[in-house]
Amino acid sequence: MPHMRRRKSLSEVQRMLRRREFLCNSLAAAGGLFLIKNSPFSGASGASSADSRIEVLLDEPLGIISPNIYGHFTEHLGGVIYDGIWVGENSKVPNVDGIRKELVDEMRKIKAPVVRYPGGCFADSYDWRDGIGPAAKRPTRTNFWADSASSDAPANHKYETNRFGTNEFARFCKLIGCEAYLAANVRSLPAEQFYRWVEYCNSPAGSTTLAEERAAAGFAEPFGVRFWGVGNESWGCGGNFTAQEYAVEFRRYTEWVPRYGQKLSFIGSGPNTDDWNWTREFFEELVRTGKGRLHSLYGWALHYYTWNLSRGRTTDWVQGKGDALKFDAVDWYELMREGERMESLINGHWQGMGEIDREHLVKLVVDEWGPWYKPGSALTPGDQLEQMPTLRDAVFSGMTLDLFHRHPEKIAMANCAQLINCLNSLYLAHEDKFCVTPVGHVFGMYAGHQGGQSLRTIFSAPLIHYERDGQPATFWGLKGSASLREKELVLTVVNPNVSDATEAEIAVRGASIKSGTATTLTNPDIHAHNTFEQRDAVKPQTSSVEAGSKVLRHAFPAASVTTLKLALA
Ligand code: AHR
């Protein structure tokens, strides 16, 4: 780690801050401070000795944060469904009708609003009919991911038993209290099968043969599925279509789909990263039969994985990847830099969509996001695409969620890829072992933002300076987001600095802070992560904050994510 200083421990930081506070108070008492007039920071009880400032602008609302930004993604891939979610009714693992109980309990705690299923690439190879009806009669099929599964992967990761299908997924959603988002097969099933799946899920009790089939499985009442993905990555594994071809398919699949009184929201398979042409050409073709077609498209799915940590050396999908566990400070900042591209992707595609969709009827759905590392860090060997989320991924995830909050008018939904045992997972599980990852903790810490009014917030902090392959490089020192619900402000802040804490003065323009709590996730080791043996190595800590004045001073430890919950007066 070339440029790094030793990190200060939390107690050292606290000691440093107490000393600073003492110095500030002494200076203020001596009248030796220069305060900017008309700034909420002037007249603060302490003074302006903090490195950084955060100003929340109550009178600049940005829009309501869709709770669905906190969505998840589950695919029949590796250990996500079998072992992760589904353990079976006869398992020794505590379960509810075969579904892992601990997972359900955790997802209820974080108020998971929506889960996407059954893929991913798997979706465009899946026949939903294989996964309904009596379990013993369901066929076993080759999984989309079979060829890339490792030799030690369990058989049901390669050959899909269909033991978990639409009924079990609906049950899972009901247990969590979330909505279902189903991705339909456009590559290998006809549109008719899409309508039939909608019919199976949504036709009223006793109305159709499929409703009766559903009732025979114990689900008389319709599932009421609102969100339907029309294919997945249709530019790639979902059919290798051109944007124009896909738009034609989209029109056909979504035309006259039966409603049964249920609002349907169709999500189109959007661009890979910065494929601006895919967005522009799709929208141009979609409206060729009339601008009214825009009303059939609720969301435009953007996929962006942060995978290239090569510092510009390659764009090769395999060579460019970094390691989940073995990384230095430069790799840490590289992940953040690459992850921050999300903001320009949101703005760029939004602008492209707006060229046709002038009123912005269609919103963005970022239904796959997260870091993607090279294989080798899986807690359960044989679980394809499983990687070990560390503190770095928690900071990354906080940064990404904050970034989504800053665009509430654009983003209707986002789905972290993937929920359990795969990529940026919130949970890891194997047989009777389970743990919440640092990423999972961030989702818990940020849940209070769901449905809040996002507020413009100004972060001023010294830049982080470091050396990137012999060249000086910088990264921002502090960022976050704020949202308000009645009189409670939720302010989330990321300090990406691997070695230094930052002390900030926080002011809410138009209110004062009565009281509050601070919950912080950090660790002296930037590689820290949770395992089945050490489930709590990285865990949030909550304390009360001393408020009562116009400006609150708070220390954000190095490499940390913090949630401040502040009662305003
Ligand atoms: O999340 C893993 C895979 O990444 C998904 O199946 C696919 O949609 C994407 O390429």
Side-chain angles (χ1 to χ4, degrees), residues 73 75 77 116 120-122 145 232-233 237 303 305 368 372 385 417-418 422-423:
F73 170 35
E75 177 167 8
L77 159 58
R116 178 175 183 242
C121 292
F122 176 86
W145 297 96
N232 167 75
E233 300 196 348
C237 63
H303 286 188
Y305 286 100
E368 292 188 28
W372 189 327
L385 299 193
Q418 299 194 13
C422 188
L423 303 175

mmCIF file of all heavy atoms in Angstrom, residues 73 75 77 116 120-122 145 232-233 237 303 305 368 372 385 417-418 422-423, ligand 1:
data_model
loop_
_atom_site.group_PDB
_atom_site.id
_atom_site.type_symbol
_atom_site.label_atom_id
_atom_site.label_comp_id
_atom_site.label_asym_id
_atom_site.label_seq_id
_atom_site.Cartn_x
_atom_site.Cartn_y
_atom_site.Cartn_z
ATOM 1 N N PHE A 73 -32.525 -8.922 -6.278
ATOM 2 C CA PHE A 73 -32.509 -9.728 -7.492
ATOM 3 C C PHE A 73 -32.121 -11.156 -7.114
ATOM 4 O O PHE A 73 -31.134 -11.367 -6.393
ATOM 5 C CB PHE A 73 -31.499 -9.087 -8.461
ATOM 6 C CG PHE A 73 -31.169 -9.896 -9.685
ATOM 7 C CD1 PHE A 73 -32.115 -10.692 -10.313
ATOM 8 C CD2 PHE A 73 -29.894 -9.830 -10.239
ATOM 9 C CE1 PHE A 73 -31.796 -11.422 -11.452
ATOM 10 C CE2 PHE A 73 -29.564 -10.551 -11.375
ATOM 11 C CZ PHE A 73 -30.520 -11.350 -11.974
ATOM 12 N N GLU A 75 -31.801 -15.171 -8.823
ATOM 13 C CA GLU A 75 -31.776 -15.927 -10.077
ATOM 14 C C GLU A 75 -31.493 -17.398 -9.787
ATOM 15 O O GLU A 75 -30.800 -17.728 -8.812
ATOM 16 C CB GLU A 75 -30.670 -15.341 -10.979
ATOM 17 C CG GLU A 75 -30.489 -16.072 -12.291
ATOM 18 C CD GLU A 75 -29.618 -15.311 -13.295
ATOM 19 O OE1 GLU A 75 -29.017 -14.278 -12.923
ATOM 20 O OE2 GLU A 75 -29.546 -15.763 -14.448
ATOM 21 N N LEU A 77 -29.276 -19.440 -10.176
ATOM 22 C CA LEU A 77 -27.850 -19.361 -10.510
ATOM 23 C C LEU A 77 -27.044 -19.727 -9.270
ATOM 24 O O LEU A 77 -27.242 -19.139 -8.192
ATOM 25 C CB LEU A 77 -27.533 -17.919 -10.959
ATOM 26 C CG LEU A 77 -26.085 -17.422 -10.902
ATOM 27 C CD1 LEU A 77 -25.161 -18.284 -11.744
ATOM 28 C CD2 LEU A 77 -26.016 -15.983 -11.409
ATOM 29 N N ARG A 116 -36.764 -9.302 -7.721
ATOM 30 C CA ARG A 116 -36.796 -9.697 -9.138
ATOM 31 C C ARG A 116 -36.428 -11.184 -9.255
ATOM 32 O O ARG A 116 -35.510 -11.657 -8.571
ATOM 33 C CB ARG A 116 -35.804 -8.829 -9.908
ATOM 34 C CG ARG A 116 -35.666 -9.141 -11.374
ATOM 35 C CD ARG A 116 -34.742 -8.109 -12.018
ATOM 36 N NE ARG A 116 -34.617 -8.304 -13.445
ATOM 37 C CZ ARG A 116 -33.479 -8.582 -14.071
ATOM 38 N NH1 ARG A 116 -32.349 -8.706 -13.379
ATOM 39 N NH2 ARG A 116 -33.448 -8.731 -15.366
ATOM 40 N N GLY A 120 -32.217 -12.178 -14.785
ATOM 41 C CA GLY A 120 -30.983 -12.745 -15.226
ATOM 42 C C GLY A 120 -31.123 -13.572 -16.523
ATOM 43 O O GLY A 120 -32.205 -13.747 -17.083
ATOM 44 N N CYS A 121 -29.967 -13.976 -16.979
ATOM 45 C CA CYS A 121 -29.887 -14.776 -18.201
ATOM 46 C C CYS A 121 -30.769 -16.021 -18.114
ATOM 47 O O CYS A 121 -31.298 -16.484 -19.115
ATOM 48 C CB CYS A 121 -28.436 -15.172 -18.472
ATOM 49 S SG CYS A 121 -27.401 -13.766 -18.911
ATOM 50 N N PHE A 122 -30.916 -16.569 -16.909
ATOM 51 C CA PHE A 122 -31.732 -17.770 -16.740
ATOM 52 C C PHE A 122 -33.158 -17.533 -17.254
ATOM 53 O O PHE A 122 -33.793 -18.443 -17.811
ATOM 54 C CB PHE A 122 -31.754 -18.158 -15.255
ATOM 55 C CG PHE A 122 -32.647 -19.328 -14.938
ATOM 56 C CD1 PHE A 122 -32.177 -20.633 -15.060
ATOM 57 C CD2 PHE A 122 -33.966 -19.133 -14.538
ATOM 58 C CE1 PHE A 122 -33.000 -21.721 -14.784
ATOM 59 C CE2 PHE A 122 -34.795 -20.211 -14.273
ATOM 60 C CZ PHE A 122 -34.314 -21.507 -14.388
ATOM 61 N N TRP A 145 -26.880 -21.845 -16.622
ATOM 62 C CA TRP A 145 -25.521 -21.676 -16.120
ATOM 63 C C TRP A 145 -24.748 -22.985 -16.014
ATOM 64 O O TRP A 145 -23.625 -23.001 -15.485
ATOM 65 C CB TRP A 145 -25.554 -20.992 -14.745
ATOM 66 C CG TRP A 145 -26.119 -19.607 -14.815
ATOM 67 C CD1 TRP A 145 -27.410 -19.231 -14.575
ATOM 68 C CD2 TRP A 145 -25.418 -18.409 -15.172
ATOM 69 N NE1 TRP A 145 -27.550 -17.877 -14.762
ATOM 70 C CE2 TRP A 145 -26.338 -17.341 -15.123
ATOM 71 C CE3 TRP A 145 -24.097 -18.129 -15.523
ATOM 72 C CZ2 TRP A 145 -25.991 -16.016 -15.424
ATOM 73 C CZ3 TRP A 145 -23.740 -16.812 -15.812
ATOM 74 C CH2 TRP A 145 -24.690 -15.785 -15.762
ATOM 75 N N ASN A 232 -34.553 -10.116 -20.629
ATOM 76 C CA ASN A 232 -33.410 -9.660 -19.836
ATOM 77 C C ASN A 232 -32.196 -9.579 -20.750
ATOM 78 O O ASN A 232 -31.942 -10.500 -21.530
ATOM 79 C CB ASN A 232 -33.117 -10.659 -18.709
ATOM 80 C CG ASN A 232 -31.761 -10.417 -18.062
ATOM 81 O OD1 ASN A 232 -31.601 -9.470 -17.279
ATOM 82 N ND2 ASN A 232 -30.768 -11.249 -18.390
ATOM 83 N N GLU A 233 -31.486 -8.487 -20.675
ATOM 84 C CA GLU A 233 -30.282 -8.306 -21.500
ATOM 85 C C GLU A 233 -30.533 -8.817 -22.923
ATOM 86 O O GLU A 233 -29.804 -9.688 -23.429
ATOM 87 C CB GLU A 233 -29.053 -8.961 -20.829
ATOM 88 C CG GLU A 233 -28.782 -8.350 -19.478
ATOM 89 C CD GLU A 233 -27.406 -8.634 -18.873
ATOM 90 O OE1 GLU A 233 -26.680 -9.500 -19.369
ATOM 91 O OE2 GLU A 233 -27.058 -7.944 -17.885
ATOM 92 N N CYS A 237 -27.465 -12.309 -23.757
ATOM 93 C CA CYS A 237 -28.010 -13.645 -23.481
ATOM 94 C C CYS A 237 -29.520 -13.722 -23.706
ATOM 95 O O CYS A 237 -30.063 -14.808 -23.915
ATOM 96 C CB CYS A 237 -27.656 -14.082 -22.067
ATOM 97 S SG CYS A 237 -28.358 -13.023 -20.763
ATOM 98 N N HIS A 303 -28.364 -1.961 -16.741
ATOM 99 C CA HIS A 303 -27.481 -2.879 -16.001
ATOM 100 C C HIS A 303 -26.080 -2.293 -15.973
ATOM 101 O O HIS A 303 -25.513 -1.990 -17.023
ATOM 102 C CB HIS A 303 -27.419 -4.259 -16.686
ATOM 103 C CG HIS A 303 -28.662 -5.062 -16.486
ATOM 104 N ND1 HIS A 303 -28.785 -6.378 -16.868
ATOM 105 C CD2 HIS A 303 -29.853 -4.741 -15.907
ATOM 106 C CE1 HIS A 303 -29.991 -6.819 -16.548
ATOM 107 N NE2 HIS A 303 -30.668 -5.841 -15.979
ATOM 108 N N TYR A 305 -22.536 -3.287 -13.866
ATOM 109 C CA TYR A 305 -21.693 -3.932 -12.857
ATOM 110 C C TYR A 305 -20.352 -3.210 -12.824
ATOM 111 O O TYR A 305 -19.817 -2.835 -13.871
ATOM 112 C CB TYR A 305 -21.448 -5.404 -13.220
ATOM 113 C CG TYR A 305 -22.655 -6.282 -12.989
ATOM 114 C CD1 TYR A 305 -23.492 -6.662 -14.030
ATOM 115 C CD2 TYR A 305 -22.958 -6.724 -11.705
ATOM 116 C CE1 TYR A 305 -24.602 -7.472 -13.800
ATOM 117 C CE2 TYR A 305 -24.066 -7.537 -11.470
ATOM 118 C CZ TYR A 305 -24.879 -7.909 -12.520
ATOM 119 O OH TYR A 305 -25.965 -8.710 -12.282
ATOM 120 N N GLU A 368 -29.893 -4.419 -12.174
ATOM 121 C CA GLU A 368 -28.698 -5.198 -11.807
ATOM 122 C C GLU A 368 -27.569 -4.209 -11.548
ATOM 123 O O GLU A 368 -27.171 -3.476 -12.460
ATOM 124 C CB GLU A 368 -28.311 -6.194 -12.908
ATOM 125 C CG GLU A 368 -29.331 -7.321 -13.057
ATOM 126 C CD GLU A 368 -28.906 -8.445 -13.992
ATOM 127 O OE1 GLU A 368 -27.693 -8.681 -14.128
ATOM 128 O OE2 GLU A 368 -29.809 -9.088 -14.572
ATOM 129 N N TRP A 372 -18.407 -6.748 -9.293
ATOM 130 C CA TRP A 372 -18.267 -8.135 -9.808
ATOM 131 C C TRP A 372 -16.772 -8.434 -9.860
ATOM 132 O O TRP A 372 -16.050 -7.864 -10.663
ATOM 133 C CB TRP A 372 -18.908 -8.234 -11.187
ATOM 134 C CG TRP A 372 -19.046 -9.614 -11.756
ATOM 135 C CD1 TRP A 372 -18.214 -10.679 -11.589
ATOM 136 C CD2 TRP A 372 -20.101 -10.074 -12.623
ATOM 137 N NE1 TRP A 372 -18.671 -11.769 -12.281
ATOM 138 C CE2 TRP A 372 -19.831 -11.429 -12.933
ATOM 139 C CE3 TRP A 372 -21.246 -9.490 -13.186
ATOM 140 C CZ2 TRP A 372 -20.663 -12.186 -13.767
ATOM 141 C CZ3 TRP A 372 -22.064 -10.248 -14.016
ATOM 142 C CH2 TRP A 372 -21.774 -11.577 -14.287
ATOM 143 N N LEU A 385 -20.381 -17.602 -9.175
ATOM 144 C CA LEU A 385 -20.474 -16.135 -9.035
ATOM 145 C C LEU A 385 -20.618 -15.663 -7.585
ATOM 146 O O LEU A 385 -20.936 -14.503 -7.355
ATOM 147 C CB LEU A 385 -21.592 -15.537 -9.888
ATOM 148 C CG LEU A 385 -21.504 -15.714 -11.395
ATOM 149 C CD1 LEU A 385 -22.508 -14.809 -12.104
ATOM 150 C CD2 LEU A 385 -20.118 -15.417 -11.927
ATOM 151 N N ALA A 417 -27.539 -6.837 -7.237
ATOM 152 C CA ALA A 417 -27.273 -8.175 -7.767
ATOM 153 C C ALA A 417 -26.152 -8.839 -6.953
ATOM 154 O O ALA A 417 -25.059 -8.319 -6.917
ATOM 155 C CB ALA A 417 -26.866 -8.075 -9.232
ATOM 156 N N GLN A 418 -26.478 -9.997 -6.386
ATOM 157 C CA GLN A 418 -27.769 -10.589 -6.142
ATOM 158 C C GLN A 418 -27.936 -10.831 -4.645
ATOM 159 O O GLN A 418 -26.939 -10.862 -3.921
ATOM 160 C CB GLN A 418 -27.887 -11.898 -6.888
ATOM 161 C CG GLN A 418 -27.760 -11.745 -8.404
ATOM 162 C CD GLN A 418 -28.220 -13.003 -9.169
ATOM 163 O OE1 GLN A 418 -28.849 -13.894 -8.638
ATOM 164 N NE2 GLN A 418 -27.861 -13.065 -10.448
ATOM 165 N N CYS A 422 -24.260 -14.643 -4.099
ATOM 166 C CA CYS A 422 -23.909 -14.281 -5.475
ATOM 167 C C CYS A 422 -23.565 -12.792 -5.585
ATOM 168 O O CYS A 422 -24.378 -11.945 -5.209
ATOM 169 C CB CYS A 422 -25.093 -14.586 -6.386
ATOM 170 S SG CYS A 422 -24.742 -14.401 -8.131
ATOM 171 N N LEU A 423 -22.396 -12.461 -6.090
ATOM 172 C CA LEU A 423 -21.966 -11.076 -6.323
ATOM 173 C C LEU A 423 -22.148 -10.218 -5.061
ATOM 174 O O LEU A 423 -21.672 -10.597 -4.000
ATOM 175 C CB LEU A 423 -22.667 -10.503 -7.559
ATOM 176 C CG LEU A 423 -22.429 -11.333 -8.855
ATOM 177 C CD1 LEU A 423 -23.238 -10.791 -10.017
ATOM 178 C CD2 LEU A 423 -20.957 -11.373 -9.220
HETATM 179 O O1 AHR B 1 -26.164 -11.435 -12.252
HETATM 180 C C1 AHR B 1 -25.515 -12.328 -13.091
HETATM 181 C C2 AHR B 1 -25.835 -12.105 -14.564
HETATM 182 O O2 AHR B 1 -25.349 -10.858 -14.959
HETATM 183 C C3 AHR B 1 -27.286 -12.044 -14.935
HETATM 184 O O3 AHR B 1 -27.838 -13.297 -15.129
HETATM 185 C C4 AHR B 1 -27.272 -11.277 -16.227
HETATM 186 O O4 AHR B 1 -28.451 -10.571 -16.443
HETATM 187 C C5 AHR B 1 -26.062 -10.384 -16.069
HETATM 188 O O5 AHR B 1 -25.255 -10.420 -17.180
#
